[in-house]
Amino acid sequence: MDKSKEDALIARDPEITWEDEESLALDNYNGAKALLDVLDQEGVELIFGYPGGSLLALYDALLDSSIRHILPRHEQSAVHAADAYARVSGKVGVCLATSGPGAANMVTGIANAYMDSIPLVILTGQVSTQLLGTDSFQEVDITGITMPITKHSYLVKDARDIPRIVKEAFYIASTGRPGPVLIDLPKNIMAAEVTEPYPSKVALKSYKFFTKGNSGQISEAAKALAQSKKPIVYAGGGVITSGAGKILQEMLEKANLPVVTTLMGIGSVPSKHPNHLGMVGMHGTITANLAVDECDLLIAIGVRFDDRVTSGLKHRFATKAKVIHIDIDPAEIGKVIRAHIPIVGDAKLVLEEFLTKINPPAIQDWWNELRSWQKEYPLSYEQDGRLNPQTILEAMGKISGEEAVVVTDVGQHQMWAAQFCPVNQERHFITSAGLGTMGFGLPAAIGAQFAKPDSLVFLVTGDGSLQMSIHELATAVQYHLPIKIVLMNNGVLGMVRQMQKMLFNERFSQIQLDANPDFVKLADAYGIKGRRVEQADQVEDALKEAVATPGPFLLDFTISPDEVVLPFVPAGQGITEILEGKE
Amino acid sequence: MLHTLAVMVENDPGVLARVSGLFSRRGYNIYSLTVCQTENPDLSMMTIVVEGDSQVIEQVTKQLHKLVVVHKVTNLSQESVVNRELALIRVKVKSDTRLEVLQTVDIFRGRVVDMGKNNLTIELTGDEEKIDAFVRTMRSYGILELVRTGKIAIARSDN
Ligand SMILES: Cc1ncc(C[n+]2csc(CCOP(=O)(O)OP(=O)(O)O)c2C)c(N)n1
């Protein structure tokens, strides 16, 4: 059958069977090949994906492409891995799953990337266009399902649109406030012939974003800073996204300003920088929280005033402060907290201009106050020789020379890591912040290791979280990824237990993980070396062994279920209403 | 307070779902929504009446702007505007009320577009208040059926 007839068949005949389509898929320059070619031209080196029937043409074309395909063990992991790859590398992450169940499995991963503004291009297989809407085998309306958790999405209805759509998707994902963009690819579109060239320019009529901040407002901000007596810089993920860390540090030093960061902002300023007061919010340092409460000028950069910071009490957050809010997303400004000086723009560009305009304010008294709080309320823990999480994390920092990429899961261990892991640079602390997705850690560590094959990658995880994606141990083995897994094994869903302990009178409900496997044996079953550590004096040696051993390594640290993350501001309390007591 | 937003969007499939989804997801209340293609076939105009204070409207506007498919958002409440609704109303009439109803339709500059043995179907355009007033008047005769389009609006020309 000649090609034009085949195409006509695919396009028009609703009776065509799927076997027929497959036989048509291979020879011509089809949608699948065009897709891979444009990905290649976008500079994509890696795709995290999982195959299926609707992607046969694409997986066939992959065999002849220079793009590397990584096969995790679950589609959610493909998204998390691409997400962390993007966080660490600063590039756009790409992931792929088949129609129906494959696409649906990606939903949590997509939501996770959306909440943390991570640039992703998500490719999903879809049933052939003539079957769309008929509840056909493995059909889900993935563009419909993901509409609230994507920056934008496309359902490709004509193969000739593929080059344009892919180009647009990368542009949208990575510019302005980054985010996930989904492209749904019907099976027959993948097989249909394409002749369209790769467009050299993106022409999107309605898509706009800001980069340069308003100079008048920036001058206004500089004036407010010069007059302030108690300024605080409040730095978030946006600083890291825009690569503004260095310029932020210059600014802190030029005006000797104190800084607090959000969970997403960790790494924007080195943890040990003398001007750094620590993380702010629910598990922030007391000094950081008091400082935000007391400041007269809050310079908020690339933050969205999340309720884990404000406790959802906007009327009680930084009430004495004039607020300067710098963000690339105009919708963030005024969403939660009124900004007295709103500056819409890219944090790096805004700070560069701001830096030329600032006059250091006289704030020695403020520093005295801050230093006395720091002395009175240090982040501390009892050093009583027990094996506790803080000891482990501090030893980790020492052994890695503070250069490792630290990836976390979600729970108490995540907060301890945020508090006690020294993080020296941007893109070196990878955590699920906005969505708080248990199971993020292991696939994210895989993505991080792919982004930095030569770096030391630590995964800090819990026994609950790890089991939500434990199958990814196989992926780590298959691709020889030398991830060092630091498992804080407390036998419980620790963070939930802590809240039941402190807020529900120790009425513990459904937090016991009694049938935990022997994680070292389990690792062994996957072909991974491991070691159980039960005593504090073995920590350093164990970490050293893990780092020295080639390939992945699992350290199973036995910690007490009674350990708590402190300080703790219960949700709905003001940020100075801090629980700091030991019990 | 009610605000009228004119939202110019790309004329693509799924755009209505994106816009209405944004409202429901963020808890904004749509009072009415009309949508149609503009003179440019690539663009559609949505007239959305939404309830909220100025802060809510500011957020709605900013969130709408974030959608890749939204071209332009204008708050028509702040401008001098012409706005219209269309209503079709089927009213019960008896031999002794028919004339009265027809006179009222005339006063409101409505049109009778269909007639049955015991009922009249009236077409009426006007602003919301006018249609409300007419509907109130007709209630005493008995409204059998009523459909309204919701508001469409356009800024007055400045000359
Ligand atoms: C997918 C998912 N389900 C449920 C939760 C709620 N949750 C938050 S922390 C936590 C416990 C985490 O336990 P574990 O991973 O063992 O870490 P730990 O707190 O003990 O350090 C739970 C259940 C979540 N964040 N994500």
Side-chain angles (χ1 to χ4, degrees), chain A residues 114 147-148 150-154 157 172 177 204-208 314 329-336, chain B residues 8-10 13-14 17-18 25-26 40 42-43 55 58-59 62-63 65-72:
Chain A
Y114 182 73
M147 219 170 255
T150 49
K151 185 170 174 185
H152 193 53
S153 54
Y154 295 91
K157 289 239 176 97
I172 293 169
R177 178 179 184 167
L204 281 161
K205 271 198 304 292
S206 304
Y207 177 65
K208 296 174 213 74
K314 49 187 178 182
D329 181 357
E332 282 309 327
I333 292 182
K335 187 183 84 178
V336 177
Chain B
M8 180 100 77
V9 296
E10 309 242 327
R18 263 178 225 284
R25 174 163 80 95
R26 297 200 179 259
N40 176 349
D42 292 340
L43 296 171
Q55 219 190 332
E58 190 187 323
Q59 257 302 303
K62 286 172 165 178
Q63 293 293 347
H65 270 300
K66 272 175 77 166
L67 296 179
V68 171
V69 293
V70 169
H71 201 64
K72 191 170 169 207

Short mmCIF file of all heavy atoms in Angstrom, two decimals, chain A residues 114 147-148 150-154 157 172 177 204-208 314 329-336, chain B residues 8-10 13-14 17-18 25-26 40 42-43 55 58-59 62-63 65-72:
data_model
loop_
_atom_site.label_atom_id
_atom_site.label_comp_id
_atom_site.label_asym_id
_atom_site.label_seq_id
_atom_site.Cartn_x
_atom_site.Cartn_y
_atom_site.Cartn_z
N TYR A 114 4.71 20.97 39.93
CA TYR A 114 3.94 22.21 39.79
C TYR A 114 4.04 23.06 41.06
O TYR A 114 4.27 24.27 41.00
CB TYR A 114 2.47 21.87 39.51
CG TYR A 114 1.60 23.08 39.30
CD1 TYR A 114 1.68 23.82 38.12
CD2 TYR A 114 0.69 23.50 40.27
CE1 TYR A 114 0.88 24.93 37.92
CE2 TYR A 114 -0.11 24.61 40.08
CZ TYR A 114 -0.01 25.32 38.90
OH TYR A 114 -0.79 26.43 38.71
N MET A 147 -5.07 19.54 34.27
CA MET A 147 -5.20 20.98 34.00
C MET A 147 -4.83 21.86 35.20
O MET A 147 -4.11 22.84 35.04
CB MET A 147 -6.60 21.29 33.51
CG MET A 147 -6.61 22.32 32.41
SD MET A 147 -8.23 22.43 31.67
CE MET A 147 -7.94 21.60 30.12
N PRO A 148 -5.29 21.51 36.40
CA PRO A 148 -4.93 22.39 37.53
C PRO A 148 -3.50 22.22 38.04
O PRO A 148 -3.09 22.96 38.91
CB PRO A 148 -5.92 21.97 38.63
CG PRO A 148 -6.72 20.85 38.11
CD PRO A 148 -6.20 20.44 36.79
N THR A 150 -0.69 21.78 35.83
CA THR A 150 0.31 22.03 34.79
C THR A 150 0.30 23.52 34.49
O THR A 150 -0.71 24.20 34.68
CB THR A 150 0.00 21.27 33.49
OG1 THR A 150 -1.37 21.48 33.15
CG2 THR A 150 0.30 19.80 33.62
N LYS A 151 1.43 24.00 34.02
CA LYS A 151 1.46 25.39 33.59
C LYS A 151 0.69 25.53 32.27
O LYS A 151 -0.01 26.51 32.05
CB LYS A 151 2.93 25.83 33.42
CG LYS A 151 3.08 27.30 33.09
CD LYS A 151 4.53 27.74 33.18
CE LYS A 151 4.69 29.17 32.69
NZ LYS A 151 6.10 29.59 32.65
N HIS A 152 0.83 24.52 31.44
CA HIS A 152 0.07 24.49 30.20
C HIS A 152 0.07 23.06 29.69
O HIS A 152 0.86 22.23 30.16
CB HIS A 152 0.71 25.42 29.16
CG HIS A 152 -0.16 25.68 27.98
ND1 HIS A 152 -1.46 26.13 28.09
CD2 HIS A 152 0.06 25.55 26.64
CE1 HIS A 152 -2.00 26.27 26.89
NE2 HIS A 152 -1.09 25.92 25.99
N SER A 153 -0.83 22.75 28.75
CA SER A 153 -0.81 21.41 28.18
C SER A 153 -1.32 21.42 26.75
O SER A 153 -2.00 22.36 26.33
CB SER A 153 -1.63 20.44 29.04
OG SER A 153 -2.94 20.94 29.22
N TYR A 154 -0.96 20.37 26.03
CA TYR A 154 -1.35 20.23 24.64
C TYR A 154 -1.86 18.83 24.40
O TYR A 154 -1.31 17.86 24.91
CB TYR A 154 -0.13 20.41 23.72
CG TYR A 154 0.50 21.77 23.73
CD1 TYR A 154 1.53 22.06 24.61
CD2 TYR A 154 0.10 22.75 22.82
CE1 TYR A 154 2.14 23.31 24.61
CE2 TYR A 154 0.71 24.00 22.80
CZ TYR A 154 1.73 24.27 23.69
OH TYR A 154 2.33 25.49 23.68
N LYS A 157 -3.26 16.99 17.83
CA LYS A 157 -4.25 16.38 16.95
C LYS A 157 -3.75 16.26 15.52
O LYS A 157 -4.41 15.68 14.67
CB LYS A 157 -5.54 17.23 16.98
CG LYS A 157 -6.31 17.12 18.30
CD LYS A 157 -7.71 16.60 18.02
CE LYS A 157 -8.51 16.37 19.28
NZ LYS A 157 -9.37 17.49 19.59
N ILE A 172 7.69 27.49 27.35
CA ILE A 172 6.76 27.80 28.44
C ILE A 172 7.26 27.21 29.76
O ILE A 172 7.21 27.85 30.81
CB ILE A 172 5.34 27.28 28.10
CG1 ILE A 172 4.76 28.07 26.93
CG2 ILE A 172 4.41 27.39 29.31
CD1 ILE A 172 3.49 27.47 26.34
N ARG A 177 7.73 32.10 35.43
CA ARG A 177 7.77 31.16 36.56
C ARG A 177 7.73 29.76 35.97
O ARG A 177 6.74 29.39 35.34
CB ARG A 177 6.55 31.38 37.45
CG ARG A 177 6.50 30.41 38.60
CD ARG A 177 5.31 30.70 39.47
NE ARG A 177 5.29 29.84 40.64
CZ ARG A 177 4.50 30.05 41.67
NH1 ARG A 177 3.68 31.07 41.68
NH2 ARG A 177 4.54 29.24 42.70
N LEU A 204 4.13 32.84 20.44
CA LEU A 204 2.96 32.63 21.29
C LEU A 204 2.33 33.98 21.55
O LEU A 204 2.91 34.82 22.23
CB LEU A 204 3.40 32.00 22.61
CG LEU A 204 3.68 30.50 22.61
CD1 LEU A 204 4.51 30.11 23.81
CD2 LEU A 204 2.38 29.72 22.58
N LYS A 205 1.16 34.15 21.00
CA LYS A 205 0.50 35.46 21.10
C LYS A 205 0.21 35.89 22.54
O LYS A 205 0.44 37.01 22.93
CB LYS A 205 -0.84 35.42 20.35
CG LYS A 205 -0.74 35.78 18.90
CD LYS A 205 -2.10 36.14 18.32
CE LYS A 205 -3.17 35.07 18.48
NZ LYS A 205 -3.01 33.84 17.73
N SER A 206 -0.30 34.96 23.31
CA SER A 206 -0.90 35.37 24.58
C SER A 206 0.01 35.14 25.78
O SER A 206 -0.35 35.46 26.90
CB SER A 206 -2.21 34.63 24.80
OG SER A 206 -3.06 34.84 23.71
N TYR A 207 1.18 34.54 25.57
CA TYR A 207 2.04 34.20 26.70
C TYR A 207 3.03 35.33 26.97
O TYR A 207 3.81 35.70 26.10
CB TYR A 207 2.78 32.90 26.39
CG TYR A 207 3.75 32.47 27.46
CD1 TYR A 207 3.32 32.12 28.72
CD2 TYR A 207 5.12 32.42 27.19
CE1 TYR A 207 4.21 31.72 29.70
CE2 TYR A 207 6.02 32.01 28.16
CZ TYR A 207 5.56 31.67 29.41
OH TYR A 207 6.45 31.27 30.37
N LYS A 208 2.97 35.88 28.16
CA LYS A 208 3.87 36.97 28.50
C LYS A 208 4.47 36.72 29.88
O LYS A 208 3.86 36.08 30.73
CB LYS A 208 3.11 38.30 28.58
CG LYS A 208 2.52 38.76 27.28
CD LYS A 208 1.67 40.00 27.53
CE LYS A 208 0.47 40.08 26.60
NZ LYS A 208 -0.64 39.16 26.90
N LYS A 314 -2.09 35.37 57.98
CA LYS A 314 -1.46 36.50 57.32
C LYS A 314 -1.59 37.79 58.15
O LYS A 314 -0.75 38.66 58.07
CB LYS A 314 -2.03 36.69 55.92
CG LYS A 314 -3.53 36.68 55.83
CD LYS A 314 -3.95 36.70 54.38
CE LYS A 314 -5.46 36.64 54.27
NZ LYS A 314 -5.91 36.61 52.90
N ASP A 329 6.31 36.12 39.28
CA ASP A 329 4.89 35.84 39.03
C ASP A 329 4.03 36.92 39.67
O ASP A 329 3.90 36.97 40.88
CB ASP A 329 4.55 34.47 39.62
CG ASP A 329 3.10 34.09 39.39
OD1 ASP A 329 2.35 34.91 38.83
OD2 ASP A 329 2.72 32.96 39.77
N PRO A 330 3.43 37.79 38.86
CA PRO A 330 2.64 38.89 39.43
C PRO A 330 1.53 38.38 40.34
O PRO A 330 1.15 39.05 41.31
CB PRO A 330 2.04 39.58 38.21
CG PRO A 330 2.76 39.07 37.02
CD PRO A 330 3.41 37.78 37.38
N ALA A 331 1.02 37.17 40.05
CA ALA A 331 -0.10 36.66 40.84
C ALA A 331 0.32 36.30 42.26
O ALA A 331 -0.52 36.16 43.15
CB ALA A 331 -0.71 35.44 40.16
N GLU A 332 1.62 36.14 42.50
CA GLU A 332 2.06 35.86 43.87
C GLU A 332 2.05 37.11 44.73
O GLU A 332 1.99 37.05 45.95
CB GLU A 332 3.47 35.26 43.86
CG GLU A 332 3.51 33.79 43.48
CD GLU A 332 2.55 32.94 44.28
OE1 GLU A 332 2.32 33.25 45.47
OE2 GLU A 332 2.02 31.97 43.73
N ILE A 333 2.13 38.24 44.06
CA ILE A 333 2.24 39.50 44.81
C ILE A 333 0.85 39.93 45.27
O ILE A 333 -0.05 40.11 44.47
CB ILE A 333 2.97 40.55 43.97
CG1 ILE A 333 4.42 40.10 43.83
CG2 ILE A 333 2.86 41.94 44.61
CD1 ILE A 333 5.33 40.99 43.08
N GLY A 334 0.70 40.02 46.58
CA GLY A 334 -0.60 40.35 47.13
C GLY A 334 -1.52 39.15 47.30
O GLY A 334 -2.63 39.29 47.76
N LYS A 335 -1.07 37.96 46.92
CA LYS A 335 -1.94 36.78 47.06
C LYS A 335 -2.19 36.45 48.53
O LYS A 335 -3.31 36.17 48.93
CB LYS A 335 -1.30 35.57 46.35
CG LYS A 335 -2.20 34.35 46.30
CD LYS A 335 -1.52 33.14 45.67
CE LYS A 335 -0.67 32.39 46.68
NZ LYS A 335 -0.03 31.19 46.12
N VAL A 336 -1.12 36.50 49.30
CA VAL A 336 -1.26 36.17 50.73
C VAL A 336 -1.02 37.41 51.60
O VAL A 336 -1.82 37.73 52.47
CB VAL A 336 -0.27 35.05 51.12
CG1 VAL A 336 -0.36 34.75 52.61
CG2 VAL A 336 -0.56 33.79 50.32
N MET B 8 -10.26 38.08 26.82
CA MET B 8 -9.98 37.68 25.44
C MET B 8 -9.08 36.45 25.48
O MET B 8 -8.02 36.47 26.10
CB MET B 8 -9.27 38.83 24.74
CG MET B 8 -8.92 38.58 23.32
SD MET B 8 -10.06 39.32 22.20
CE MET B 8 -9.56 41.03 22.25
N VAL B 9 -9.54 35.37 24.86
CA VAL B 9 -8.78 34.12 24.91
C VAL B 9 -8.54 33.57 23.51
O VAL B 9 -9.24 33.93 22.57
CB VAL B 9 -9.53 33.04 25.74
CG1 VAL B 9 -9.66 33.46 27.19
CG2 VAL B 9 -10.89 32.74 25.14
N GLU B 10 -7.56 32.68 23.40
CA GLU B 10 -7.33 32.00 22.14
C GLU B 10 -8.52 31.08 21.87
O GLU B 10 -9.06 30.47 22.80
CB GLU B 10 -6.06 31.15 22.24
CG GLU B 10 -4.90 31.93 22.76
CD GLU B 10 -3.75 32.04 21.78
OE1 GLU B 10 -3.54 31.10 21.01
OE2 GLU B 10 -3.09 33.10 21.80
N PRO B 13 -9.52 24.47 21.53
CA PRO B 13 -10.28 23.53 22.35
C PRO B 13 -9.75 23.53 23.79
O PRO B 13 -8.55 23.69 24.00
CB PRO B 13 -10.04 22.17 21.70
CG PRO B 13 -9.26 22.40 20.46
CD PRO B 13 -8.82 23.82 20.42
N GLY B 14 -10.64 23.37 24.72
CA GLY B 14 -10.21 23.26 26.11
C GLY B 14 -10.04 24.57 26.84
O GLY B 14 -9.82 24.60 28.04
N ALA B 17 -12.63 25.18 29.56
CA ALA B 17 -12.37 24.35 30.74
C ALA B 17 -11.24 24.95 31.57
O ALA B 17 -11.28 24.96 32.80
CB ALA B 17 -12.01 22.94 30.31
N ARG B 18 -10.21 25.44 30.89
CA ARG B 18 -9.09 26.05 31.61
C ARG B 18 -9.55 27.25 32.43
O ARG B 18 -9.18 27.42 33.59
CB ARG B 18 -8.03 26.52 30.63
CG ARG B 18 -6.92 25.56 30.43
CD ARG B 18 -5.94 26.08 29.41
NE ARG B 18 -5.57 25.02 28.49
CZ ARG B 18 -4.73 24.04 28.80
NH1 ARG B 18 -4.14 24.01 29.97
NH2 ARG B 18 -4.48 23.08 27.95
N ARG B 25 -11.32 26.02 40.97
CA ARG B 25 -10.20 25.55 41.78
C ARG B 25 -9.81 26.55 42.83
O ARG B 25 -9.44 26.19 43.95
CB ARG B 25 -9.03 25.30 40.85
CG ARG B 25 -7.74 24.95 41.51
CD ARG B 25 -6.81 24.34 40.49
NE ARG B 25 -6.15 25.34 39.67
CZ ARG B 25 -4.93 25.81 39.94
NH1 ARG B 25 -4.30 25.40 41.01
NH2 ARG B 25 -4.38 26.68 39.14
N ARG B 26 -9.88 27.82 42.50
CA ARG B 26 -9.44 28.83 43.45
C ARG B 26 -10.61 29.41 44.24
O ARG B 26 -10.45 30.38 44.98
CB ARG B 26 -8.67 29.93 42.73
CG ARG B 26 -7.40 29.39 42.09
CD ARG B 26 -6.39 30.45 41.78
NE ARG B 26 -5.19 29.88 41.20
CZ ARG B 26 -4.06 29.65 41.86
NH1 ARG B 26 -3.97 29.94 43.15
NH2 ARG B 26 -3.01 29.15 41.24
N ASN B 40 -12.11 38.33 15.05
CA ASN B 40 -10.91 37.60 14.69
C ASN B 40 -11.12 36.13 15.04
O ASN B 40 -11.24 35.79 16.22
CB ASN B 40 -9.73 38.20 15.47
CG ASN B 40 -8.44 37.43 15.23
OD1 ASN B 40 -8.45 36.35 14.64
ND2 ASN B 40 -7.34 38.01 15.68
N ASP B 42 -9.35 33.71 15.46
CA ASP B 42 -8.39 33.09 16.38
C ASP B 42 -8.69 33.41 17.84
O ASP B 42 -8.08 32.84 18.74
CB ASP B 42 -6.96 33.60 16.09
CG ASP B 42 -6.47 33.10 14.75
OD1 ASP B 42 -7.05 32.11 14.26
OD2 ASP B 42 -5.54 33.70 14.19
N LEU B 43 -9.56 34.36 18.07
CA LEU B 43 -9.81 34.81 19.44
C LEU B 43 -11.28 34.71 19.82
O LEU B 43 -12.15 34.91 18.97
CB LEU B 43 -9.34 36.26 19.61
CG LEU B 43 -7.84 36.54 19.45
CD1 LEU B 43 -7.57 38.03 19.42
CD2 LEU B 43 -7.06 35.87 20.57
N GLN B 55 -9.73 42.97 46.09
CA GLN B 55 -8.58 42.09 46.22
C GLN B 55 -8.80 40.77 45.47
O GLN B 55 -7.91 40.26 44.79
CB GLN B 55 -8.33 41.80 47.70
CG GLN B 55 -6.86 41.77 48.05
CD GLN B 55 -6.66 41.25 49.47
OE1 GLN B 55 -7.53 41.39 50.34
NE2 GLN B 55 -5.52 40.66 49.71
N GLU B 58 -8.51 41.41 41.81
CA GLU B 58 -7.11 41.55 41.41
C GLU B 58 -6.47 40.17 41.24
O GLU B 58 -5.78 39.90 40.26
CB GLU B 58 -6.36 42.34 42.49
CG GLU B 58 -4.96 42.74 42.06
CD GLU B 58 -4.17 43.38 43.21
OE1 GLU B 58 -4.79 44.12 44.00
OE2 GLU B 58 -2.96 43.13 43.29
N GLN B 59 -6.72 39.28 42.21
CA GLN B 59 -6.20 37.91 42.11
C GLN B 59 -6.75 37.18 40.89
O GLN B 59 -6.02 36.54 40.14
CB GLN B 59 -6.53 37.12 43.38
CG GLN B 59 -5.39 36.96 44.35
CD GLN B 59 -4.17 36.28 43.73
OE1 GLN B 59 -4.24 35.17 43.22
NE2 GLN B 59 -3.03 36.96 43.77
N LYS B 62 -5.03 38.46 37.83
CA LYS B 62 -3.65 37.99 37.71
C LYS B 62 -3.59 36.51 37.38
O LYS B 62 -2.78 36.07 36.56
CB LYS B 62 -2.90 38.24 39.02
CG LYS B 62 -2.53 39.70 39.25
CD LYS B 62 -1.98 39.85 40.64
CE LYS B 62 -1.26 41.16 40.86
NZ LYS B 62 -0.78 41.25 42.26
N GLN B 63 -4.45 35.73 38.01
CA GLN B 63 -4.45 34.29 37.74
C GLN B 63 -4.88 34.03 36.30
O GLN B 63 -4.34 33.14 35.64
CB GLN B 63 -5.38 33.54 38.71
CG GLN B 63 -4.91 33.55 40.17
CD GLN B 63 -3.62 32.77 40.40
OE1 GLN B 63 -3.17 32.02 39.54
NE2 GLN B 63 -3.01 32.96 41.56
N HIS B 65 -4.39 36.01 33.78
CA HIS B 65 -3.25 36.39 32.95
C HIS B 65 -2.21 35.29 32.87
O HIS B 65 -1.46 35.19 31.90
CB HIS B 65 -2.59 37.66 33.50
CG HIS B 65 -3.18 38.92 32.93
ND1 HIS B 65 -3.17 39.20 31.59
CD2 HIS B 65 -3.80 39.97 33.52
CE1 HIS B 65 -3.75 40.36 31.37
NE2 HIS B 65 -4.15 40.86 32.53
N LYS B 66 -2.13 34.49 33.93
CA LYS B 66 -1.12 33.43 33.94
C LYS B 66 -1.43 32.33 32.94
O LYS B 66 -0.53 31.62 32.51
CB LYS B 66 -1.04 32.80 35.34
CG LYS B 66 -0.08 33.51 36.26
CD LYS B 66 -0.13 32.93 37.64
CE LYS B 66 0.60 31.62 37.77
NZ LYS B 66 0.80 31.27 39.19
N LEU B 67 -2.69 32.15 32.60
CA LEU B 67 -3.03 31.09 31.64
C LEU B 67 -2.42 31.46 30.29
O LEU B 67 -2.58 32.58 29.81
CB LEU B 67 -4.55 30.94 31.52
CG LEU B 67 -5.29 30.48 32.77
CD1 LEU B 67 -6.79 30.39 32.50
CD2 LEU B 67 -4.76 29.14 33.25
N VAL B 68 -1.77 30.48 29.71
CA VAL B 68 -1.09 30.72 28.43
C VAL B 68 -2.08 31.13 27.34
O VAL B 68 -1.73 31.83 26.40
CB VAL B 68 -0.29 29.45 28.04
CG1 VAL B 68 0.27 29.54 26.63
CG2 VAL B 68 0.84 29.22 29.05
N VAL B 69 -3.32 30.71 27.48
CA VAL B 69 -4.31 30.98 26.44
C VAL B 69 -5.03 32.32 26.60
O VAL B 69 -5.83 32.71 25.76
CB VAL B 69 -5.39 29.87 26.40
CG1 VAL B 69 -4.77 28.57 25.94
CG2 VAL B 69 -6.04 29.72 27.76
N VAL B 70 -4.78 33.01 27.70
CA VAL B 70 -5.49 34.27 27.92
C VAL B 70 -4.70 35.43 27.31
O VAL B 70 -3.53 35.64 27.60
CB VAL B 70 -5.73 34.52 29.43
CG1 VAL B 70 -6.23 35.94 29.67
CG2 VAL B 70 -6.73 33.51 29.96
N HIS B 71 -5.39 36.15 26.44
CA HIS B 71 -4.74 37.22 25.69
C HIS B 71 -4.80 38.53 26.45
O HIS B 71 -3.82 39.27 26.53
CB HIS B 71 -5.46 37.34 24.35
CG HIS B 71 -4.67 38.01 23.30
ND1 HIS B 71 -3.50 37.49 22.81
CD2 HIS B 71 -4.87 39.17 22.63
CE1 HIS B 71 -3.01 38.29 21.89
NE2 HIS B 71 -3.82 39.31 21.76
N LYS B 72 -5.95 38.81 27.01
CA LYS B 72 -6.14 40.13 27.62
C LYS B 72 -7.31 40.05 28.60
O LYS B 72 -8.30 39.37 28.33
CB LYS B 72 -6.48 41.13 26.51
CG LYS B 72 -6.45 42.57 26.93
CD LYS B 72 -6.56 43.48 25.72
CE LYS B 72 -6.80 44.91 26.17
NZ LYS B 72 -7.51 45.68 25.16
#
